[in-house]
Amino acid sequence: MNDFPRLETERLILDKITVEDIPQIVLYLQEKVFSDYTSNIPYPYRKEDAEFWLKLSTESFQNRKGITFAIREKKGKLLGAIGLHDEGSDKAELGYWIGIPNWNKGYVTEAAKAVIDYGFSQLNFNKIFATYFPHNPASGKVLGKIGMKKEAVLKQHLKKDDKYYDIPMYSIFKENR
């Protein structure tokens, strides 16, 4: 797992996030909605946050603990990011974000299908799961479109802005795809 993989779909290229992507990442993640819809994207989002995230993503890949792909148009423009994070016991968590100008175009669904295939075929995961905040129902729709099924609602699982949230968890298994 030394060379970073490159995946290609009908409209997208999924490859390594680079230092050159940082200005676009910062531009996209300036919108407060990203902080509202995720547990780990700060607001305001700064260049230092992107640099730290890139460093963590690189270390995670090197340590075989996860892989984060840039989601790009075929011409190379960064649209967002998607990744799998190894949780042990042959399972991984799927996470993603996509810039607002790229919402509702099917890019996350297309990228997620490729990343799930990669996770099962190349990384040998048995289970891939994802969670989302209930106030982001579009994310739940994506999970359904990629073949994930609702497995549970994790009661008061995440705390954000002094409020506890019940978090839906969706999953897909190697044998069921």
Side-chain angles (χ1 to χ4, degrees):
M1 204 160 137
N2 293 333
D3 292 334
F4 200 92
R6 181 181 188 274
L7 309 179
E8 195 165 333
T9 68
E10 184 181 337
R11 299 180 295 164
L12 304 171
I13 292 171
L14 307 177
D15 64 7
K16 189 174 184 174
I17 297 168
T18 67
V19 173
E20 290 77 27
D21 293 320
I22 287 177
Q24 187 64 53
I25 292 167
V26 173
L27 185 65
Y28 281 143
L29 297 181
Q30 282 307 302
E31 301 292 334
K32 188 171 186 317
V33 70
F34 290 103
S35 177
D36 293 344
Y37 282 0
T38 66
S39 60
N40 59 356
I41 296 177
Y43 180 81
Y45 197 84
R46 304 164 303 137
K47 180 182 178 208
E48 293 79 11
D49 297 316
E51 290 168 343
F52 179 72
W53 178 62
L54 179 59
K55 180 178 182 278
L56 277 182
S57 297
T58 301
E59 288 172 0
S60 182
F61 177 74
Q62 290 168 344
N63 295 329
R64 296 175 181 248
K65 291 294 178 193
I67 186 164
T68 302
F69 292 95
I71 302 172
R72 301 184 194 281
E73 289 179 334
K74 294 267 178 147
K75 294 178 182 172
K77 181 185 177 201
L78 181 75
L79 305 175
I82 188 165
L84 291 172
H85 307 283
D86 192 332
E87 298 292 327
S89 296
D90 296 332
K91 69 179 180 292
E93 183 171 14
L94 175 72
Y96 49 81
W97 62 265
I98 191 135
I100 291 174
N102 311 307
W103 285 12
N104 300 313
K105 296 181 179 170
Y107 292 136
V108 171
T109 301
E110 190 174 325
K113 286 177 180 176
V115 168
I116 285 171
D117 285 345
Y118 180 82
F120 287 136
S121 68
Q122 301 301 310
L123 302 179
N124 219 18
F125 289 120
N126 178 59
K127 174 182 179 176
I128 296 174
F129 68 95
T131 61
Y132 66 94
F133 278 106
H135 53 272
N136 182 10
S139 199
K141 287 179 184 170
V142 166
L143 301 180
K145 287 179 189 175
I146 62 175
M148 288 188 162
K149 304 274 188 257
K150 189 177 194 178
E151 183 175 335
V153 174
L154 307 172
K155 297 295 189 180
Q156 297 186 22
H157 190 69
L158 291 177
K159 182 180 179 184
K160 188 164 187 88
D161 301 325
D162 291 326
K163 182 178 176 188
Y164 294 97
Y165 289 91
D166 294 349
I167 302 296
M169 183 175 95
Y170 281 61
S171 59
I172 188 168
F173 296 87
K174 189 175 195 171
E175 65 192 31
N176 294 17
R177 55 183 192 109

